[in-house]
Amino acid sequence: MRRRSFLKQTGLITVGLSLAEKAAFAALSPAVNKLPKWKGFNLLDFYSPEGIPGSRPTTEDHFKWMRDWGFDFIRIPIAYPYYLGFDRSRNILPEEVYHTDPRKLEEIEALVAYVHSFKPRQ
């Protein structure tokens, strides 16, 4: 094999491998996420069926802090037994799974209404 043909062949092989590598890398790279990049925050007021010991309810200052730090949405995880009305000194009975405590539901509704009324930073 002559030097000139060797250089042509190795050059073509190098270009081919380079193009194949780019195509393979593009196939392996993750797709672009078209969803907005939200910054969320969990409000844990109703996270536990019995409430979290020593915790304080969410206040306006908490919302101001979240807004000032750039959070743009919140989640309110709620434990199902939190808003049920049953004797908590024993296990819940099947017929009690639909008995809601109106006071607990009002607490949840009040927090959701407050969240909706809170004015974001302009």
Side-chain angles (χ1 to χ4, degrees), residues 10-27:
T10 56
L12 290 174
I13 290 172
T14 304
V15 169
L17 289 175
S18 176
L19 292 174
E21 179 183 353
K22 287 181 182 178
F25 182 76

Side-chain angles (χ1 to χ4, degrees), residues 20 50 81 109:
E50 305 297 326
E109 289 176 359

Side-chain angles (χ1 to χ4, degrees), residues 21-93:
E21 179 183 353
K22 287 181 182 178
F25 182 76
L28 294 176
S29 65
V32 175
N33 187 356
K34 295 181 182 181
L35 293 174
K37 187 164 185 160
W38 293 337
K39 297 177 190 169
F41 201 90
N42 286 337
L43 298 181
L44 300 179
D45 295 29
F46 314 115
Y47 184 69
S48 172
E50 305 297 326
I52 298 173
S55 67
R56 295 171 292 187
T58 304
T59 64
E60 183 177 357
D61 288 338
H62 293 123
F63 286 107
K64 288 178 182 176
W65 177 84
M66 288 182 253
R67 179 194 60 203
D68 293 345
W69 276 81
F71 291 102
D72 50 11
F73 80 97
I74 63 162
R75 292 179 298 267
I76 305 175
I78 302 172
Y80 176 70
Y82 179 82
Y83 56 86
L84 293 180
F86 66 96
D87 181 6
R88 295 181 186 277
S89 65
R90 58 172 173 73
N91 289 336
I92 189 170
L93 301 174

